Amino acid sequence: MNGSHAEEILQKTADVSQQISQPVVTFRALTAGALLAVAATVGGSYARFILHTTRLDQNHLSMAAVFPLALIVLFLARPLKLSRGELIVIFCMPLIGSTMPTYFIGKLIANISAPHYMASPENQWTTYFETHLPAWAVVPEGQALRWFYEGLPRGASIPWDVWIVPVFWWITVVFAFYGCCLCLMVIFRKQWVVHERIDFPLMELPLAILEPPEEEGFFRIPTLNRPLFWLGFALPLFVIFWNMVSYFVPLFPVIPWKLPNINFGLEFQPMRVNLYPVVVGFGYFIKLDLLFSLWFFNMLTTLEVGFLNRLGFKTEFVGLHSTAPLPMGAQSMGALIVILLVGFWMGREHLRGVFRKAFKNDPGVDDSDEIMSYRTAVYGFLICGLYLAAWHYGMGMELKFLPLFLFGTLIAYLGITRVIAEAGVISLRVPLMPQSFGMILMGTDMLSQRTLVSVALSYALTSDVKTTIMPALAHGLRLFETLHTHRRKLLWPLLVAMVSGVLATFAYTIYMGYENGAANYGAIFTQDAASGAWNEMVKKSKAPVGTRWKPLSFIAIGAAATGLMMFV
């Protein structure tokens, strides 16, 4: 062994030893992270519902987490002597909090408050659903509900009491859902990070911010010391400032960011060409073969939809909040099922070890580098999953439909988490909602009215998912992998972020509703985002159907095509 190589090894060993000795889960890190998690939830709600501007919670790497991290590293890390581990903790907590407002808890509150407030003779909700609504799961009818949508009268106090029961029960199911997500990510972390070495491209940005500072650099973030960074920064900033002039001088020319669509014919959906600098930036971190696949299959989907239109293909079933048109959402769902099944098969040895450790405490399986033991993760997943099943059964969901719904939920959320972790797409939605998945397989003619009510209410928990906590947890565990410290303590930042974020989002969304009137919040509370689930169940009550073979065939086609490509 030559001297330089030995010196390098000694230096790495010293760096690891120093990192182990540095504090990670400290009181100040937890406090700062919790405050930023609350700020991310409140800021996301305020920006969307009150200002109607930036949507901080509409992608899987929110600037509400990245921007504060950059500011802390630049201005506070040195004077406060924050360790790298503390900075990772501080970043992961608002990353989790930013998944909660508007498209999760905001839509949840809209879903449980809409049945009584938006019911009318025209939409016939009262006729079909009123007698089957569980009183403990929805906001009761009355002036308190009306004030929430229309604003609090002068001198009146907020009637928090009418919210206590439904919010309490929904918080329990939210935490059970979060528990399932956390336990699943612990179970799969080693398989994804260590064995398969998934790239997690979205974490390249925070990892770049957390790089050790250069001795001769002006900025503590090394990337900021490179001229090429400032060139890339200046180009979109120039376009933004240039186009701002047109807001004040309408005749001032603008630099277009919406380019002409690509059209193949009248029957083909136009391919939109928009220039999003943030998408271009994150696309840099994605592997070229994956970037090509995203482009190629987008083109292929456009052509397939056009050919189906040319053939006059129609499907009467509507997949609410799913990828449109429905055949494409169904195909994608089939693809996700195969991707996950193949992933389970590839990780079968790891999963066997997890279950041996959980049920037999096999000493040959090491779980010391996880934030919780495999026994806790497996039993925690089972307990939280059973609570989710019991909760939906208590809402009225029949046992014959419940397994399909839960299986669809598992596939949807675990599937998009896997795709985000591997491909690094910053914006991704569930291709086929679990409610639609279950009703395609079973049909609606076998479902009771109570089940249809429970299906409509389930959209409060699994709805138009633009962000969800599972990818944030996967990214957090990926960052924890870079820390050489006792991992068990790292569970606390995740739990604190969940609790503080959920409570703050519920309280702030309800409070601002009474202050400003939730009817002014926008589409999530006033349009199909709130009423769509209930209108859809009315349609299915009026015209019940059996198994939908057309969408089911596309699920099979998507599964077969994906299986063939993975085999090749």
Side-chain angles (χ1 to χ4, degrees):
M1 180 182 296
N2 59 48
S4 60
H5 186 59
E7 184 179 348
E8 181 181 351
I9 293 177
L10 289 174
Q11 181 62 42
K12 289 182 178 179
T13 304
D15 293 341
V16 171
S17 300
Q18 182 182 7
Q19 194 181 93
I20 292 175
S21 63
Q22 289 178 326
V24 176
V25 184
T26 60
F27 177 77
R28 62 179 182 175
L30 286 175
T31 303
L35 291 176
L36 288 175
V38 171
T41 64
V42 171
S45 299
Y46 184 75
R48 176 66 191 273
F49 293 148
I50 307 301
L51 298 180
H52 302 283
T53 55
T54 303
R55 300 180 182 182
L56 293 175
D57 61 333
Q58 201 166 319
N59 59 65
H60 297 286
L61 182 59
S62 174
M63 290 300 105
V66 175
F67 191 63
L69 175 66
L71 293 180
I72 291 172
V73 171
L74 286 174
F75 302 110
L76 297 178
R78 177 177 292 173
L80 296 180
K81 297 182 180 180
L82 294 170
S83 68
R84 185 174 182 274
E86 288 179 299
L87 292 172
I88 289 177
V89 167
I90 291 172
F91 168 75
C92 290
M93 295 177 73
L95 181 66
I96 290 172
S98 63
T99 66
M100 298 175 185
T102 65
Y103 279 97
F104 182 52
I105 292 179
K107 290 181 71 66
L108 189 159
I109 294 174
N111 190 270
I112 65 175
S113 60
H116 287 302
Y117 180 78
M118 301 181 71
S120 67
E122 290 77 16
N123 59 33
Q124 299 181 308
W125 295 0
T126 303
T127 303
Y128 285 93
F129 297 138
E130 186 176 38
T131 57
H132 301 291
L133 282 171
W136 50 270
V138 296
V139 184
E141 188 177 9
Q143 68 177 8
L145 179 60
R146 188 175 68 254
W147 289 349
F148 172 68
Y149 273 90
E150 300 171 11
L152 199 65
R154 188 183 300 274
S157 58
I158 297 177
W160 292 103
D161 55 308
V162 302
W163 293 87
I164 292 176
V165 172
V167 167
F168 168 79
W169 286 111
W170 280 103
I171 284 179
T172 64
V173 78
V174 166
F175 284 140
F177 172 68
Y178 280 2
C180 286
C181 294
L182 176 60
C183 294
L184 277 176
M185 289 301 94
V186 171
I187 292 171
F188 283 98
R189 185 205 65 84
K190 184 173 289 187
Q191 174 63 27
W192 288 6
V193 175
V194 178
H195 300 321
E196 298 185 44
R197 297 186 179 276
I198 293 178
D199 289 329
F200 292 87
L202 289 184
M203 290 298 98
E204 292 294 330
L205 178 58
L207 285 174
I209 295 175
L210 293 169
E211 285 183 359
E214 298 171 341
E215 293 183 1
E216 299 179 357
F218 179 78
F219 295 101
R220 284 185 59 84
I221 301 175
T223 303
L224 301 187
N225 296 318
R226 298 180 176 89
L228 195 59
F229 168 85
W230 292 105
L231 176 62
F233 178 82
L235 288 175
L237 188 67
F238 172 78
V239 174
I240 292 172
F241 280 135
W242 179 278
N243 289 343
M244 283 175 61
V245 179
S246 65
Y247 286 96
F248 306 98
V249 184
L251 297 181
F252 190 81
V254 299
I255 300 175
W257 59 275
K258 289 187 176 182
L259 305 179
N261 294 333
I262 300 175
N263 292 287
F264 297 98
L266 294 177
E267 297 86 1
F268 295 82
Q269 290 183 333
M271 292 184 64
R272 293 182 297 174
V273 183
N274 299 333
L275 183 60
Y276 292 110
V278 67
V279 176
V280 174
F282 280 105
Y284 171 79
F285 299 114
I286 304 176
K287 290 182 177 180
L288 285 178
D289 53 351
L290 288 175
L291 275 177
F292 172 79
S293 297
L294 293 173
W295 171 84
F296 175 77
F297 283 101
N298 183 37
M299 178 78 70
L300 188 63
T301 298
T302 301
L303 296 176
E304 182 179 357
V305 171
F307 287 131
L308 290 176
N309 291 336
R310 289 291 297 269
L311 296 173
F313 178 87
K314 293 182 179 180
T315 176
E316 297 77 17
F317 188 92
V318 177
L320 187 66
H321 299 313
S322 302
T323 299
L326 181 63
M328 300 303 102
Q331 276 188 189
S332 301
M333 189 67 172
L336 276 187
I337 293 174
V338 170
I339 289 172
L340 288 180
L341 291 179
V342 171
F344 293 157
W345 174 255
M346 292 175 59
R348 60 190 182 279
E349 291 300 326
H350 167 71
L351 293 176
R352 286 196 193 108
V354 169
F355 293 128
R356 287 201 311 272
K357 188 68 172 180
F359 298 125
K360 298 181 180 180
N361 198 23
D362 186 350
V365 179
D366 182 19
D367 60 356
S368 61
D369 56 348
E370 306 292 349
I371 63 171
M372 66 172 71
S373 67
Y374 285 146
R375 172 169 292 185
T376 302
V378 171
Y379 280 104
F381 175 75
L382 293 175
I383 292 171
C384 292
L386 287 174
Y387 183 81
L388 285 176
W391 201 91
H392 284 90
Y393 179 76
M395 280 205 307
M397 190 173 289
E398 295 171 273
L399 287 177
K400 59 186 177 184
F401 184 79
L402 190 56
L404 292 177
F405 170 75
L406 294 179
F407 177 73
T409 302
L410 174 67
I411 293 297
Y413 286 96
L414 190 57
I416 66 170
T417 300
R418 171 69 189 231
V419 172
I420 292 167
E422 193 161 6
V425 287
I426 195 171
S427 179
L428 183 67
R429 300 165 70 177
V430 173
L432 189 64
M433 296 306 301
Q435 299 89 341
S436 300
F437 175 76
M439 289 186 287
I440 285 173
L441 267 65
M442 179 171 288
T444 57
D445 55 349
M446 300 176 61
L447 302 180
S448 65
Q449 287 296 110
R450 291 190 70 235
T451 297
L452 292 179
V453 170
S454 70
V455 169
L457 282 171
S458 71
Y459 280 104
L461 191 64
T462 53
S463 186
D464 183 15
V465 179
K466 289 185 173 66
T467 56
T468 178
I469 196 172
M470 193 179 284
L473 291 172
H475 287 139
L477 295 182
R478 167 65 183 88
L479 292 180
F480 290 166
E481 178 71 14
T482 65
L483 298 176
H484 300 276
T485 184
H486 187 57
R487 298 279 174 81
R488 293 289 194 265
K489 295 180 180 179
L490 294 171
L491 175 63
W492 289 105
L494 305 182
L495 297 180
V496 171
M498 291 178 192
V499 173
S500 59
V502 167
L503 296 180
T505 310
F506 267 106
Y508 184 76
T509 305
I510 296 171
Y511 169 79
M512 292 305 294
Y514 285 104
E515 288 293 315
N516 298 277
N520 298 314
Y521 275 178
I524 288 181
F525 277 82
T526 58
Q527 298 177 17
D528 282 349
S531 61
W534 301 98
N535 290 332
E536 195 59 37
M537 292 308 109
V538 169
K539 294 177 183 178
K540 288 177 169 50
S541 297
K542 289 182 176 180
V545 294
T547 300
R548 309 310 296 159
W549 295 105
K550 288 182 180 179
L552 186 57
S553 66
F554 278 94
I555 294 177
I557 291 171
T562 305
L564 178 62
M565 285 186 288
M566 297 189 78
F567 174 77
V568 171

